[in-house]
Amino acid sequence: VNCLKILGDKACKERPQDQDRLYSLARGAEEDEKELHRSFFKKWNISDVNDDGTTVKAMPNTLLYTSYMLRIVSTRPYAEGLSVLLPCFWVYMHVGKCMLEMRK
């Protein structure tokens, strides 16, 4: 979500026609993806809170990957920022196709 917002800010200068779409994707990711996660957590009885009441922390590989993406979208040219996010969208497409197939 943060990566999309940062790219939306960059698009304002470099590709203003992309700005609204990037902000829209950020809103969708923030709302829809969280709801999808909540539904899976509920279905599989998973909690995002530890037994001691603290919030579960991201795994090291997740932090490495997301910090890399944030660094690229923040410090590199706009096109590189877009390209670093492509694998996310490919995964979303694949997962979506699998979910549709499971509904049959």
Side-chain angles (χ1 to χ4, degrees):
V1 172
N2 290 335
C3 290
L4 290 166
K5 289 177 182 176
I6 292 167
L7 282 176
D9 293 343
K10 279 189 172 185
C12 180
K13 298 173 189 164
E14 298 184 38
R15 290 192 44 95
Q17 66 272 28
D18 294 350
Q19 187 177 28
D20 288 341
R21 182 67 178 137
L22 289 164
Y23 287 145
S24 174
L25 288 169
R27 278 190 306 278
E30 196 162 34
E31 297 163 7
D32 298 337
E33 191 173 344
K34 283 183 181 178
E35 182 54 39
L36 180 65
H37 290 174
R38 279 192 288 271
S39 71
F40 285 137
F41 281 22
K42 184 176 179 181
K43 180 178 180 177
W44 296 324
N45 198 28
I46 299 171
S47 176
D48 60 351
V49 178
N50 291 314
D51 292 337
D52 64 1
T54 60
T55 303
V56 174
K57 294 183 179 172
M59 298 299 292
N61 289 343
T62 302
L63 289 173
L64 286 169
Y65 180 59
T66 55
S67 65
Y68 170 75
M69 289 191 304
L70 279 170
R71 182 171 53 86
I72 297 300
V73 300
S74 298
T75 64
R76 303 297 301 158
Y78 177 71
E80 284 185 52
L82 284 176
S83 67
V84 80
L85 296 181
L86 274 176
C88 296
F89 289 98
W90 293 333
V91 168
Y92 295 152
M93 181 181 69
H94 177 73
V95 169
K97 285 180 179 180
C98 291
M99 290 172 73
L100 286 173
E101 192 63 33
M102 289 172 62
R103 290 176 121 185
K104 292 181 181 180

